[in-house]
Amino acid sequence: PKPPPFVMVEKRRIEEEEEEDALEPMDVADTPSAASLPVASDGSRSQPDFSPELLRLYYDRIFPAQLMCRWLGYGTHHSADAETQLLHRREFSFTTGDDVYIRYLSYEDHAALRKDLVHKLPHKIDIGAIFSAAPRDHKKYKLFEPQQREL
């Protein structure tokens, strides 16, 4: 069946607007220029300094810890038990701003992950395998080995 004529007209109008947007030159005033970057003591232009306060704000309010934990625990809205059973055995590791590498981290839920992110302020987060026991307790077990990993 053929769509009604008003649908075809609307579709054509939207396509034309998209083409115009794609061909429209970018406004240079909206983009940061080299002149707006701060000048270093040696006269070179550099990016603004890193802000730990902004990173803390990001981890506290924006970082999707709950979604990430559900995804990494293979959980869904209906299977919260599976999520928590796998998540606490998943290894996380952080690399902090001064290149300190912290391994064998694991979390019971998204709130614990968020709390640790806000406290440690990692610059890099690595996601590891699911182990036979909680990675934070790896010294308590003789048999501590990965059970599942993603490739």
Side-chain angles (χ1 to χ4, degrees):
K2 196 172 183 181
F6 64 87
V7 172
M8 295 302 291
V9 171
E10 184 67 21
K11 181 178 176 187
R12 195 174 314 123
R13 186 179 64 76
I14 291 172
E15 288 171 351
E16 289 170 358
E17 287 176 0
E18 287 174 352
E19 286 175 11
E20 288 173 9
D21 289 343
L23 297 175
E24 193 172 296
M26 196 166 84
D27 186 8
V28 180
D30 292 340
T31 60
S33 66
S36 67
L37 292 175
V39 179
S41 60
D42 63 357
S44 65
R45 305 240 180 233
S46 65
Q47 293 291 333
D49 289 337
F50 178 78
S51 169
E53 293 80 24
L54 286 177
L55 187 60
R56 180 173 282 112
L57 184 68
Y58 170 74
Y59 283 137
D60 190 33
R61 297 193 181 164
I62 300 171
F63 185 78
Q66 186 170 9
L67 290 173
M68 192 168 185
C69 288
R70 188 172 70 207
W71 171 60
L72 292 172
Y74 306 129
T76 64
H77 290 292
H78 306 293
S79 63
D81 291 339
E83 177 183 336
T84 56
Q85 288 174 1
L86 293 177
L87 182 65
H88 80 279
R89 294 187 298 135
R90 165 90 59 185
E91 181 189 14
F92 290 84
S93 62
F94 295 162
T95 305
T96 63
D98 48 354
D99 287 332
V100 174
Y101 188 65
I102 307 167
R103 275 198 75 183
Y104 301 114
L105 302 172
S106 59
Y107 303 99
E108 295 296 322
D109 59 8
H110 72 278
L113 173 62
R114 184 176 306 279
K115 181 180 176 185
D116 215 16
L117 287 169
V118 169
H119 176 71
K120 291 184 172 129
L121 296 178
H123 287 208
K124 180 180 170 194
I125 302 169
D126 293 308
I127 301 164
I130 295 174
F131 283 87
S132 53
R136 69 176 161 265
D137 300 329
H138 70 280
K139 291 183 179 180
K140 294 180 182 177
Y141 298 97
K142 240 182 180 173
L143 184 63
F144 178 74
E145 57 188 23
Q147 301 291 308
Q148 297 177 19
R149 346 177 155 195
E150 289 77 20
L151 300 175

